[in-house]
Amino acid sequence: MSQPKIIRRPDGTILIERFSPFRRVEHLLVIAGFTLLVLTGFPQKFYEASWAASVLQFFGGLDRARTLHRVVGIIFSVQAVIHIAIIAVGILSSKMRLTLLPTSQDFRDVFATLSYYFGYTKEHPRYPKFDYRQKFEYLGMVLGGLVMVFSGLALLYPGFITSFLPGQIIPAARLAHSNEALLAFCVLVVWHVYGSHLSPEVFPMDKSMFTGYLTLDYLKEHHNLEYRRLFPKEAAADDAAKAATGKEH
Amino acid sequence: MTRNLYTIPRTIEILCFAAGMSCAFITFPEKAGAEQPKAATEATEACLECHAEKGESITFADKTSKSVQVDRKSWLSSVHGGKLACTDCHREISGYPHRKVKFQDAREYTLARGNTCQRCHYAQYTRALDSTHYEILKAGVREAPICVDCHGAHAIQNPKTPRLSINEKCATCHGSITDEFKLSVHGKALLQNNPDAPACTDCHGAHAIPSPSGAEFRLNSYKLCAECHSNEEKMKKYGLNTDVLVTYLDDFHGASNRLYALGAGRPEKPIATCNDCHGVHNIQSFKDKDPKMAREKVVKSCQKCHLGVTPAFADAWLSHYPPSLKTAPLVWAIKVAYTILIPLIMVGLVLHILLHLWRLRSHR
């Protein structure tokens, strides 16, 4: 099992690595790719809108925007293949901890969190390295990405696809590509922007995706199970102290 | 020379005009304006005194000659008859004998007087200057039509009736296309005087006729078809599908075409539009045809641009009907799934966020 890097600074703060440099580069590539794909794709989806033609003109017309969309799409697809291949190798060599894989605990966490929000329970549930909200977003990204990659390929090579599949695949791929894009965009704007920027817990920005590190305090507060896994002694001491103060009252 | 201006016919004309005007003022002073045409008629009579006679002709510099006879009856029954005087258009003529002018031939005279109609029909004249006809005229094609070539000179009738006469005018030059059109579904209906059937000008315009081989015309041509074919009231009469426009635009070709038409650059390759599958002047109805045969035509239409594709490729085109469970179950299912999924997920996520904020507000 891999252990994350832990940096102890001279001033006493402890930083725990959350994202390896490779993951940080992956995220930067996704930002660039997603932005370009949305900018060149949405005007094609919303062809009725008045802004559609102006945005396409910015890219030098519909034909150039399409070429760019395809090139970026292929880069995005290659990235997706590499991402999944690394996971596959990680599973086969059992060297990877699947911290983003949803478990039954995540479903229980959903209900525990909601009942905490409604005030039925006093204790906030403790989350692992990635909470269910983050797992939902990641899984949506990967599964949605796969939908986009396969429907995109069908739209890029319709002649080849229909040489062995029925013709209905093409309009189906077109609908899936266009709707999945809209869904991904909406989730990004609402869920990701809230979770990583607007939420009072992280406002104005959760920088760990760019710096790669979380502080010990943040880890303890928001990903308590991971904190307990990495710092079992400190966690036990915390619990003992808490129990003591509980008795005093 | 000055004496020439007051020739006998001119004097008669002036006298008649004066008589007419005073008559009008004395008897029906309030209808003075309405009586004016009468004066025009009388002024015209003065010209017709000579020009109604047979045998009068003028000779041009190239020794060709042309009769200058005007048929009184057809002039009077024309739209201008009784309303305009000869000199309203023939402004260069103000007396007899007429001032001599030199023209190479009759066409040169016609072209030189080409802007005559502009004085009253300014809008139509100006639109015609934008037309492909004027463009080729400028390029030196003397046969390119100007006003009188389509409307006539002295026997001008309402150009809109009968509608079939519009096509006859175009047929003067565009004979083979007009013949082809007569055999089409639209042409047959027009021959039966169907007011819904398009005449040439309904698609091409009457005055500002753009070049149909230009990119602009091609990109916007689907709108011409859509004007009638998405009109529910009109299509109901013939049991025709009005989803044709929406289904075209919802498809790859239509969406692209519309974006190009809105100014998103120029297409590198031509994008299929209505006439690429349905034909242009030779459009036939598919209504009573065997659906299998129609499908074969779709395959052939696809193969025009997409070389060597299979019939399965052509099945990607779901015809001009929205996907249904019966016709395209996979497409339908995806459409329905996302229509439910997107709002469901988004509402769930927004509620979760609002709950989180509410909890933070009320418990901290």
Side-chain angles (χ1 to χ4, degrees):
Chain A
M1 283 293 163
S2 60
Q3 285 297 321
K5 251 191 243 166
I6 293 168
I7 299 177
R8 288 169 203 275
R9 282 209 180 138
D11 64 358
T13 51
I14 299 171
L15 297 173
I16 300 97
E17 190 185 46
R18 185 163 171 81
F19 300 109
S20 70
F22 177 75
R23 296 299 180 211
R24 284 176 247 165
V25 171
E26 254 190 324
H27 181 250
L28 287 176
L29 277 176
V30 168
I31 294 179
F34 195 91
T35 309
L36 281 172
L37 287 169
V38 164
L39 283 175
T40 51
F42 272 44
Q44 297 185 56
K45 174 173 173 60
F46 298 105
Y47 57 85
E48 299 274 5
S50 52
W51 48 263
S54 339
V55 175
L56 290 172
Q57 242 158 15
F58 174 78
F59 288 101
L62 179 59
D63 289 337
R64 287 205 185 159
R66 272 196 181 136
T67 310
L68 185 65
H69 190 86
R70 286 162 188 172
V71 169
V72 178
I74 287 168
I75 294 173
F76 181 86
S77 308
V78 170
Q79 200 188 335
V81 168
I82 293 173
H83 184 88
I84 290 165
I86 288 175
I87 295 174
V89 171
I91 291 173
L92 290 175
S93 62
S94 57
K95 271 186 183 159
M96 188 184 264
R97 215 158 60 86
L98 299 174
T99 47
L100 275 159
L101 188 74
T103 59
S104 57
Q105 182 56 43
D106 289 308
F107 289 96
R108 284 195 287 277
D109 281 351
V110 175
F111 292 106
T113 307
L114 287 178
S115 77
Y116 170 75
Y117 285 172
F118 279 115
Y120 294 131
T121 45
K122 293 264 181 279
E123 281 275 312
H124 193 287
R126 291 165 176 178
Y127 296 136
K129 182 173 179 184
F130 295 103
D131 63 45
Y132 69 89
R133 296 172 295 190
Q134 291 159 337
K135 284 184 183 181
F136 165 79
E137 199 183 322
Y138 168 78
L139 208 72
M141 174 78 202
V142 171
L143 294 181
L146 287 178
V147 171
M148 295 311 279
V149 167
F150 283 111
S151 58
L153 282 173
L155 293 172
L156 188 54
Y157 301 106
F160 171 68
I161 296 290
T162 51
S163 63
F164 57 91
L165 284 173
Q168 236 191 90
I169 289 286
I170 306 302
R174 194 180 141 79
L175 269 179
H177 200 77
S178 145
N179 279 301
E180 187 60 42
L182 180 65
L183 179 60
F185 181 74
C186 289
V187 170
L188 178 100
V189 165
V190 172
W191 197 241
H192 185 67
V193 167
Y194 181 77
S196 308
H197 296 273
L198 298 181
S199 165
E201 287 166 4
V202 294
F203 188 81
M205 185 176 172
D206 178 357
K207 296 190 191 71
S208 65
M209 191 72 242
F210 298 98
T211 62
Y213 289 89
L214 283 181
T215 61
L216 185 69
D217 292 339
Y218 191 91
L219 191 75
K220 192 169 154 185
E221 169 93 17
H222 296 287
H223 302 284
N224 196 269
L225 295 181
E226 178 75 355
Y227 165 73
R228 281 162 187 277
R229 189 181 75 86
L230 294 174
F231 305 94
K233 275 183 212 158
E234 286 89 336
D238 288 347
D239 286 347
K242 206 176 179 188
T245 51
K247 266 177 198 165
E248 273 172 32
H249 283 286
Chain B
M1 280 303 278
T2 34
R3 280 182 71 92
N4 263 352
L5 283 174
Y6 294 94
T7 49
I8 294 164
R10 181 71 179 176
T11 316
I12 294 170
E13 179 193 319
I14 293 166
L15 283 176
C16 288
F17 180 70
M21 287 303 281
S22 49
C23 227
F25 273 107
I26 293 159
T27 45
F28 316 103
E30 75 279 11
K31 282 190 181 169
E35 285 296 306
Q36 218 149 356
K38 206 176 173 193
T41 315
E42 281 157 12
T44 305
E45 281 306 318
C47 300
L48 286 178
E49 220 168 86
C50 298
H51 282 279
E53 294 298 317
K54 258 188 187 167
E56 293 280 343
S57 67
I58 46 169
T59 309
F60 294 97
D62 70 345
K63 305 282 185 259
T64 53
S65 63
K66 192 177 163 74
S67 158
V68 290
Q69 190 202 358
V70 175
D71 184 50
R72 177 186 268 111
K73 241 190 181 169
S74 61
W75 160 251
L76 286 175
S77 62
S78 79
V79 285
H80 294 138
K83 292 192 181 95
L84 292 183
C86 304
T87 49
D88 285 333
C89 295
H90 296 280
R91 295 179 73 201
E92 76 282 9
I93 293 169
S94 56
Y96 187 83
H98 307 318
R99 191 154 45 95
K100 275 206 168 172
V101 279
K102 205 169 178 185
F103 285 103
Q104 193 60 32
D105 53 17
R107 189 65 185 163
E108 196 186 315
Y109 173 79
T110 308
L111 294 177
R113 295 283 173 266
N115 61 357
T116 301
C117 311
Q118 184 189 16
R119 289 178 66 210
C120 299
H121 302 283
Y122 184 79
Q124 287 82 351
Y125 182 83
T126 312
R127 280 205 286 276
L129 294 184
D130 291 332
S131 72
T132 187
H133 286 149
Y134 186 71
E135 211 168 287
I136 57 171
L137 181 73
K138 260 194 314 190
V141 180
R142 295 193 337 147
E143 290 73 26
I146 62 169
C147 311
V148 290
D149 293 311
C150 298
H151 292 282
H154 297 110
I156 298 174
Q157 294 297 333
N158 181 348
K160 287 173 187 158
T161 51
R163 273 162 51 80
L164 204 52
S165 71
I166 296 170
N167 285 28
E168 280 159 15
K169 277 164 202 150
C170 303
T172 316
C173 301
H174 303 281
S176 61
I177 287 176
T178 322
D179 287 341
E180 194 183 324
F181 178 75
K182 276 179 195 160
L183 301 173
S184 76
V185 65
H186 293 137
K188 280 179 198 158
L190 189 70
L191 283 171
Q192 289 165 359
N193 259 329
N194 184 334
D196 293 332
C200 305
T201 50
D202 287 310
C203 298
H204 292 281
H207 296 106
I209 303 171
S211 166
S213 45
E216 200 69 31
F217 186 84
R218 189 187 156 77
L219 285 178
N220 290 291
S221 64
Y222 74 90
K223 293 176 194 161
L224 298 174
C225 308
E227 207 163 292
C228 293
H229 282 275
S230 56
N231 181 333
E232 232 156 270
E233 209 177 301
K234 234 181 220 180
M235 290 302 111
K236 223 171 120 195
K237 287 190 224 168
Y238 310 98
L240 288 175
N241 175 10
T242 48
D243 285 332
V244 283
L245 177 66
V246 188
T247 45
Y248 170 66
L249 288 178
D250 262 346
D251 185 64
F252 195 72
H253 297 121
S256 307
N257 221 333
R258 197 192 140 93
L259 282 168
Y260 289 127
L262 283 173
R266 284 273 161 264
E268 278 163 21
K269 289 177 276 183
I271 296 275
T273 178
C274 311
N275 60 54
D276 290 307
C277 299
H278 293 278
V280 188
H281 297 108
N282 57 352
I283 298 170
Q284 295 298 332
S285 171
F286 272 111
K287 252 177 77 190
D288 306 317
K289 300 271 163 65
D290 178 22
K292 243 188 197 168
M293 205 200 82
R295 259 291 137 189
E296 271 165 33
K297 266 202 101 171
V298 173
V299 178
K300 271 189 196 139
S301 299
C302 294
Q303 285 168 342
K304 272 193 230 165
C305 301
H306 303 273
L307 299 175
V309 292
T310 56
F313 177 86
D315 287 342
W317 171 240
L318 303 174
S319 299
H320 285 290
Y321 298 96
S324 71
L325 183 57
K326 239 186 190 172
T327 55
L330 182 65
V331 186
W332 178 85
I334 286 180
K335 197 176 172 183
V336 171
Y338 276 106
T339 329
I340 298 169
L341 219 68
I342 294 178
L344 203 71
I345 290 177
M346 292 325 292
V347 166
L349 295 184
V350 168
L351 281 179
H352 193 289
I353 288 170
L354 291 176
L355 266 175
H356 182 219
L357 286 170
W358 177 69
R359 173 74 203 192
L360 287 177
R361 245 184 91 89
S362 58
H363 285 78
R364 271 192 197 183

